[in-house]
Amino acid sequence: MHSVLMDVDTGIDDALALVYLLSRPEVRVHAITCTAGNVGARQVALNNLALLELCGKPGIEVAIGAEVPLEIPLVTTEETHGPQGIGYAELPPPAQQISARHAVDVWVDEVRKHPGEITGLITGPLTNFALALRREPDLPHLLKGLVIMGGCFYYQGNTTPTAEWNVSVDPHAAKEVFAAYRGLPEDKLPVVCALETTELIEMRPEHLQRLAEAAGAGPEPVLPDQPEGLRSTSGNPLVACLSDAIRFYMEFHRLYDQGFVAHVHDAFAACVAVGRTDVATALATVDVETVSPLLMGTTVADYRGLWGLPPNARIVMSNNPKQCFDELIESVGALAGRLP
């Protein structure tokens, strides 16, 4: 059994990551903590609660944490993920309430209670985890492992020419997190899913069609020649939700000349966190630029020991997109097919 504590800024690809983990019978989503990023932290929490109910998995704790970055103003990205963070999808208000606990308390208390059992999966800015490390510096030892979606290393950024979104929202938090892991044993170092491999996980119209087929639903055409904003007519509520969310994401990518595709970064990181997709990693010492206006949020990896500092990350260097999509489609499709 994999026990996963998610920290998210849901977010279209965060939503797919959550649904994927809920679809796996051997995975327990221990709790979900929310940070501001793609949208504000409260909207993130509402998105997660609504998705839990849609998937028939209510009862998982959803807690709000940091609502602003550590030192810089918050920037959100509704133009990428839609006004509510889930594209064109619309979900009813959840019945379950947001937890009274702060996300930092969830991280610290739950990992202390379950040492060596919980894998952290962070698919948003690293603010909550940085604050949790300030409270409990032994978190890296107490966690079973940590997977981070963030950064780009000698690769074009998706927010600035050199910076990836999650890190750019709160570069100071990312810098603190990587510093906390410096010199730890290799098996405790975070696995970092950065843009150079996550952008290979391109969801295309045929993937949505395969998802609908796996769910036993009717055809689900999401095609580039259709009018923007066209809504799904699927009778399967989960297929319709994901289709409406991912259509928005595909339209966004096309607007920026990336094709009618959707980079589902966070779903890949979720597969990595539970060991369901093949990757190769390389040890590196990672640091984050927090001073230069030109390079703010840039992640730098020293693979050769030029800084004379011990490694603090295992960076994913290669992956298998076909295997990853086969895993996502089969598992999420099966969950959708089981829903009433």
Side-chain angles (χ1 to χ4, degrees):
M1 177 66 72
H2 293 278
S3 185
V4 179
L5 201 166
M6 299 184 75
D7 197 288
V8 294
D9 62 338
T10 317
I12 293 166
D13 52 332
D14 310 74
L16 181 59
L18 172 57
V19 171
Y20 166 70
L21 291 180
L22 296 174
S23 76
R24 295 301 315 162
E26 79 284 7
V27 173
R28 178 194 175 203
V29 178
H30 193 93
I32 304 169
T33 54
C34 307
T35 186
N38 291 321
V39 288
R42 178 174 173 79
Q43 184 62 52
V44 169
L46 294 174
N47 289 345
N48 294 326
L49 288 171
L51 287 164
L52 290 174
E53 293 178 11
L54 175 65
C55 293
K57 305 280 186 177
I60 296 171
E61 182 176 14
V62 175
I64 292 177
E67 299 193 58
V68 293
L70 294 181
E71 296 187 27
I72 62 176
L74 173 65
V75 177
T76 56
T77 184
E78 287 84 355
E79 72 279 6
T80 307
H81 292 269
Q84 294 181 299
I86 49 175
Y88 294 122
E90 295 179 5
L91 293 172
Q96 182 179 326
Q97 298 299 305
I98 297 168
S99 174
R101 291 204 289 177
H102 191 278
V104 171
D105 296 323
V106 174
W107 270 105
V108 173
D109 295 347
E110 294 307 311
V111 175
R112 281 175 175 169
K113 279 187 216 172
H114 304 277
E117 297 178 16
I118 293 174
T119 297
L121 171 62
I122 305 176
T123 62
L126 287 155
T127 319
N128 286 337
F129 194 65
L131 292 170
L133 283 166
R134 291 180 181 181
R135 176 94 60 84
E136 176 49 275
D138 280 341
L139 276 181
H141 295 281
L142 295 170
L143 281 166
K144 181 179 180 181
L146 179 67
V147 174
I148 295 170
M149 190 280 124
C152 56
F153 302 97
Y154 313 107
Y155 183 88
Q156 184 82 0
N158 64 355
T159 303
T160 74
T162 61
E164 177 274 334
W165 166 257
N166 286 334
V167 174
S168 71
V169 170
D170 196 343
H172 299 87
K175 189 178 184 74
E176 286 191 22
V177 169
F178 284 113
Y181 275 88
R182 192 170 292 152
L184 268 63
E186 182 176 335
D187 65 342
K188 289 295 185 183
L189 299 182
V191 175
V192 180
C193 303
L195 289 184
E196 47 264 49
T197 47
T198 67
E199 285 196 345
L200 298 176
I201 311 299
E202 287 187 341
M203 198 162 200
R204 297 175 178 275
E206 55 265 31
H207 292 126
L208 284 169
Q209 180 57 43
R210 286 175 54 198
L211 176 63
E213 291 169 358
E220 190 58 28
V222 176
L223 303 171
D225 58 352
Q226 291 173 328
E228 288 195 357
L230 191 67
R231 300 292 297 277
S232 173
T233 58
S234 178
N236 185 293
L238 182 53
V239 169
C241 173
L242 294 175
S243 178
D244 286 342
I246 291 166
R247 180 189 290 276
F248 188 98
Y249 213 23
M250 288 177 170
E251 290 174 0
F252 168 80
H253 285 76
R254 180 173 60 187
L255 183 65
Y256 286 88
D257 298 322
Q258 295 176 301
F260 197 67
V261 301
H263 295 143
V264 288
H265 316 269
D266 299 340
F268 167 66
C271 290
V272 172
V274 295
R276 297 288 299 181
T277 192
D278 295 336
V279 297
T281 63
L283 288 172
T285 305
V286 172
D287 207 341
V288 182
E289 177 58 48
T290 58
V291 178
S292 166
L294 188 65
L295 299 174
M296 176 74 81
T298 300
T299 43
V300 181
D302 177 9
Y303 294 104
R304 296 182 290 162
L306 297 176
W307 290 334
L309 298 171
N312 59 0
R314 291 174 285 171
I315 299 172
V316 176
M317 304 298 287
S318 65
N319 57 356
N320 187 331
K322 180 183 182 303
Q323 181 196 49
C324 183
F325 274 115
D326 287 347
E327 169 68 14
L328 289 168
I329 289 164
E330 179 182 349
S331 194
V332 173
L335 171 63
R338 294 193 297 267
L339 295 177

